[in-house]
Amino acid sequence: MIGRLNHVAIAVKDLEKAASVYKNALGAKVGPPLKQPEHGVTVIFIELPNTKIELLEPLGENSPIAKFLEKAPDGGIHHVCYEVEDIMASRDQLRAQGARILGDGNPKIGAHGKPVLFLHPKDFCGTLVELEQV
């Protein structure tokens, strides 16, 4: 079921400052900011040769990233995203094994314009997992 690592998401307070660190200190290719109001975030993708880093900044008062930053004021790794070929089949297989799907259990369109689901961190070794259909 699980495919390649699509990205590692890092919650940050200041998106432009974080992007500057990756661009200027590490020489990475940095994309433009993308507002994702349905997810309560603004994102910037950092392109790496083998995957991406997704920087997440809160967008709006009810952003899940704002809540994350309350607990971890310096920011940090928020989730990992794995690719799957069929998100509905993956969801059904995971549910059958007892995994909890966050939200209403139906995919939403993510920052790449593809369907995504989030899996409860208590079911995956304390890590929030995002699945993205490719």
Side-chain angles (χ1 to χ4, degrees):
M1 173 195 325
I2 194 171
R4 73 180 203 99
L5 175 67
N6 184 282
H7 65 267
V8 175
I10 301 174
V12 300
K13 284 184 180 178
D14 184 332
L15 198 58
E16 294 300 326
K17 182 177 178 183
S20 177
V21 169
Y22 279 88
K23 182 178 181 180
N24 298 326
L26 298 173
K29 180 180 174 188
V30 175
L34 304 168
K35 291 187 182 211
Q36 300 287 303
E38 63 278 4
H39 296 282
V41 296
T42 302
V43 304
I44 288 180
F45 284 99
I46 310 298
E47 298 287 333
L48 304 176
N50 60 341
T51 193
K52 295 180 280 300
I53 301 293
E54 178 185 40
L55 301 176
L56 303 167
E57 180 183 72
L59 178 63
E61 294 176 9
N62 295 323
S63 170
I65 299 306
K67 293 178 180 101
F68 179 92
L69 289 170
E70 285 175 12
K71 296 177 184 173
D74 293 330
I77 294 176
H78 183 261
H79 68 268
V80 295
C81 177
Y82 300 112
E83 296 177 352
V84 296
E85 289 194 22
D86 183 334
I87 201 158
M88 299 305 283
S90 298
R91 178 199 66 184
D92 295 345
Q93 180 181 345
L94 287 161
R95 273 189 176 155
Q97 295 173 14
R100 291 170 279 182
I101 312 299
L102 297 180
D104 66 6
N106 292 309
K108 291 183 179 180
I109 299 302
H112 296 118
K114 298 177 182 176
V116 299
L117 287 171
F118 284 89
L119 309 176
H120 200 292
K122 289 186 179 178
D123 298 333
F124 293 91
C125 309
T127 302
L128 179 61
V129 172
E130 179 182 18
L131 299 180
E132 178 177 287
Q133 183 169 294
V134 293

